[in-house]
């Protein structure tokens, strides 16, 4: 990374390249949002259909930025640092070398690991729900099964990416996920038998959601596009057990809710839903590191994106708007 960053106190900063890339993305992405908002306000007055399309586009852009912010927080970037680069982007300032970043206190590592632990807990819960649902109700709807299995894989990869960015230690890894087969089997079996049929069905439908899968794909993309290598995470021992391994543990002797580990859908063998959203974004010509101000082609394609992205996308955790955002009518 060639950027030299400075703290507000004038001292040079040594920030990992992954964090620099994520801050760069948030700031430059915000410039794109401001440019799109201004074009929508001044260039398309009187055309109700086009205005509605732009409003959908702006919603999706803001929603995507929230997901990037969420992952930036997950890897330990201070909230006020994230707010600072977003405010710079809202003012039209693109990321540059020698950028000044506000001083930040050390991240709350205990809190970061606790939040990562909730993701591990969700992965184990998904495995238990899958095993119990297939045992009680038989083969599920193929699309739901595909979405469910893809979400488990994406979630596992996102856990590994964040763990790698945090450079977790071996003792922290032991606290996050168990390597004791007996203890893990007991945990999974307790979950499998703990749901009544109605609750199990509700959990299944929640986890088998295509909109939620798309959100998880974008969260993972925010991490990997910033330079986090899943291969390096695996080599460093930062990846939790795979869904295949967890399902095999759940199906091991002593568990009456049998499931065949080999039936787990391989998301690489079918068209990933994340590919569809990636292609739609690529088709707009919008790049978080390229200025498209005044680019008519990008302007037209961005309008079309409003119709390409799926409806019903889930909202990421709300991020408060800056004062400038509020004044300009941008709703994150």
């Amino acid at each position: 990374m060639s950027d030299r960053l400075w703290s507000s106190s004038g001292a040079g900063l040594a920030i990992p390249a992954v964090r620099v890339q994520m801050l760069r993305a948030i700031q430059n992405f915000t410039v794109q949002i401001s440019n799109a908002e201004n074009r929508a306000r001044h260039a398309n007055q009187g055309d109700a259909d086009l205005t509605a399309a732009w409003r959908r586009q702006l919603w999706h852009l803001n929603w995507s930025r929230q997901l990037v912010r969420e992952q930036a927080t997950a890897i330990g970037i201070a909230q006020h640092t994230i707010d600072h680069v977003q405010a710079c982007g809202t003012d039209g300032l693109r990321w540059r070398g020698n950028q000044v970043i506000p001083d930040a206190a050390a991240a709350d590592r205990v809190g970061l690991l606790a939040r990562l632990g909730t993701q591990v807990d969700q992965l184990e819960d998904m495995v238990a729900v899958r095993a119990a649902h297939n045992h009680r109700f038989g083969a599920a709807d193929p699309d739901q099964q595909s979405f469910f299995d893809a979400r488990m894989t994406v979630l596992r990869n996102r856990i590994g990416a964040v763990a790698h960015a945090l450079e977790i230690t071996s003792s922290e890894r032991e606290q996050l996920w168990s390597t004791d087969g007996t203890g893990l089997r007991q945990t999974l079996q307790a979950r499998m038998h703990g749901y009544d049929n109605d609750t199990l069905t509700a959990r299944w439908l929640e986890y088998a959601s295509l909109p939620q899968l798309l959100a998880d794909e974008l969260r993972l993309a925010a991490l990997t596009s910033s330079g986090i290598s899943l291969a390096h995470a695996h080599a460093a021992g930062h990846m939790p057990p795979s869904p295949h391994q967890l399902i095999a543990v759940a199906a091991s002797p002593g568990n009456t809710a049998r499931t065949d580990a080999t039936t787990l859908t391989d998301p690489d063998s079918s068209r990933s839903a994340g590919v569809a959203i990636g292609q739609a974004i690529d088709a707009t010509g919008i790049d978080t590191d390229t200025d498209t101000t005044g680019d008519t082609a990008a302007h037209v394609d961005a309008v079309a994106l409003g119709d390409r992205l799926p409806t019903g996308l889930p909202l990421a955790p709300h991020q408060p708007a800056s004062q400038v955002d509020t004044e300009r009518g941008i709703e994150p």
Side-chain angles (χ1 to χ4, degrees):
M1 176 57 59
S2 60
D3 291 351
R4 172 90 173 155
L5 304 183
W6 302 88
S7 72
S8 52
S9 63
L13 296 176
I15 299 180
V18 167
R19 297 190 180 192
V20 171
Q21 289 284 41
M22 197 162 285
L23 290 172
R24 179 202 301 268
I26 293 171
Q27 182 165 329
N28 290 348
F29 200 15
T30 302
V31 173
Q32 298 289 354
I33 292 173
S34 296
N35 290 341
E37 192 274 339
N38 287 332
R39 288 196 296 269
R41 175 177 297 165
H42 300 297
N44 303 310
Q45 293 180 357
D47 189 332
D49 291 339
L50 196 55
T51 299
W54 271 106
R55 288 184 65 83
R56 290 196 302 273
Q57 166 66 3
L58 285 170
W59 186 91
H60 285 299
L61 289 172
N62 278 284
W63 175 80
S64 298
R65 180 182 61 185
Q66 287 182 36
L67 295 183
V68 178
R69 286 179 57 116
E70 175 189 297
Q71 298 315 298
T73 299
I75 65 172
I77 301 178
Q79 192 67 46
H80 72 278
T81 301
I82 297 172
D83 291 340
H84 171 80
V85 298
Q86 180 168 321
C88 289
T90 301
D91 289 337
L93 302 175
R94 298 184 61 78
W95 184 272
R96 65 194 185 281
N98 298 317
Q99 182 138 330
V100 175
I101 298 296
D103 291 311
D108 174 16
R109 190 168 184 84
V110 173
L112 292 173
L113 292 175
R115 285 191 289 274
L116 184 57
T118 64
Q119 302 302 308
V120 176
D121 184 73
Q122 180 183 335
L123 178 59
E124 293 179 354
D125 189 58
M126 291 185 74
V127 169
V129 168
R130 185 190 188 280
H133 189 275
N134 287 3
H135 172 68
R136 296 187 199 179
F137 304 120
D141 174 84
D143 286 340
Q144 290 182 1
Q145 187 78 74
S146 177
F147 299 154
F148 194 109
D149 290 349
R151 278 198 74 190
M152 285 195 296
T153 298
V154 171
L155 177 58
R156 186 250 187 164
N157 288 341
R158 183 154 59 92
I159 292 169
V162 172
H164 193 54
L166 295 177
E167 298 180 331
I168 63 171
T169 65
S170 57
S171 60
E172 289 171 338
R173 182 181 62 217
E174 289 292 330
Q175 294 174 11
L176 285 168
W177 55 80
S178 174
T179 57
D180 174 15
T182 300
L184 179 58
R185 182 174 63 251
Q186 292 173 346
T187 297
L188 293 174
Q189 290 178 2
R191 288 179 180 272
M192 291 165 63
H193 298 295
Y195 289 126
D196 60 42
N197 287 348
D198 288 342
T199 304
L200 180 63
T201 298
R203 299 290 280 181
W204 170 268
L205 293 174
E206 175 188 350
Y207 287 142
S209 162
L210 174 57
Q212 292 290 349
L213 170 59
L214 295 175
D216 287 346
E217 289 266 12
L218 283 178
R219 290 183 177 101
L220 177 60
L223 295 165
T224 57
S225 64
S226 296
I228 300 176
S229 166
L230 296 180
H232 292 168
H234 189 276
H238 292 155
M239 297 292 286
S242 71
H244 279 95
Q245 292 170 319
L246 291 172
I247 288 175
V249 170
S252 59
N255 184 4
T256 59
R258 299 184 305 276
T259 184
D260 182 359
T262 64
T263 63
L264 180 67
T265 302
D266 180 0
D268 294 331
S269 66
S270 59
R271 182 174 182 273
S272 170
V275 173
I277 195 169
Q279 290 175 341
I281 292 173
D282 291 342
T284 67
I286 294 176
D287 188 296
T288 59
D289 207 34
T290 304
D291 189 2
T292 58
T293 304
D295 187 335
T296 302
H299 167 100
V300 173
D301 283 342
V303 174
L305 178 62
D307 294 324
R308 287 180 184 155
L309 289 176
T311 59
L313 290 169
L315 282 171
H318 176 70
Q319 301 291 351
S322 69
Q323 181 179 359
V324 177
D325 281 343
T326 303
E327 292 173 353
R328 292 186 179 182
I330 300 175
E331 299 177 0

